[in-house]
Amino acid sequence: FSAPTECKTYAAMSAGQAFQPYTIQRRACGPKDVVIDILFAGICHSDIHQVREEWGKAIFPMVPGHEIGGKIVAVGSEVKNF
């Protein structure tokens, strides 16, 4: 995890658009980072509001899904607890 990692995701490319496969670049694990191997992710209704821009202007492409489950696979040197 000392180098950036490519991750396959699903993203909305613009407001209201259906999700499509998308690749993002995750930064290398820094001294204050915890790297999680995401095994499960879900979207809630607030993610849907964001993708539809119902709460104002959004930034696209957008990869929603802030509710995750996984396992910790790396911890930065300055991390004391999590």
Side-chain angles (χ1 to χ4, degrees):
F1 302 100
S2 60
T5 307
E6 275 195 355
C7 296
K8 294 182 180 183
T9 69
Y10 282 89
M13 303 310 284
S14 62
Q17 192 177 51
F19 299 121
Q20 63 186 48
Y22 187 70
T23 301
I24 62 170
Q25 189 83 236
R26 292 177 66 184
R27 70 173 185 257
C29 183
K32 296 181 180 183
D33 292 334
V34 173
V35 178
I36 301 171
D37 181 10
I38 299 171
L39 302 173
F40 307 97
I43 61 171
C44 67
H45 207 75
S46 62
D47 295 312
I48 295 168
H49 286 298
Q50 284 292 110
V51 169
R52 293 178 179 167
E53 288 191 325
E54 293 173 346
W55 292 344
K57 210 73 169 126
I59 299 169
F60 293 94
M62 181 188 298
V63 178
H66 60 275
E67 298 170 347
I68 62 169
K71 61 183 176 180
I72 296 171
V73 294
V75 178
S77 61
E78 295 179 29
V79 176
K80 302 296 182 224
N81 54 31
F82 48 89

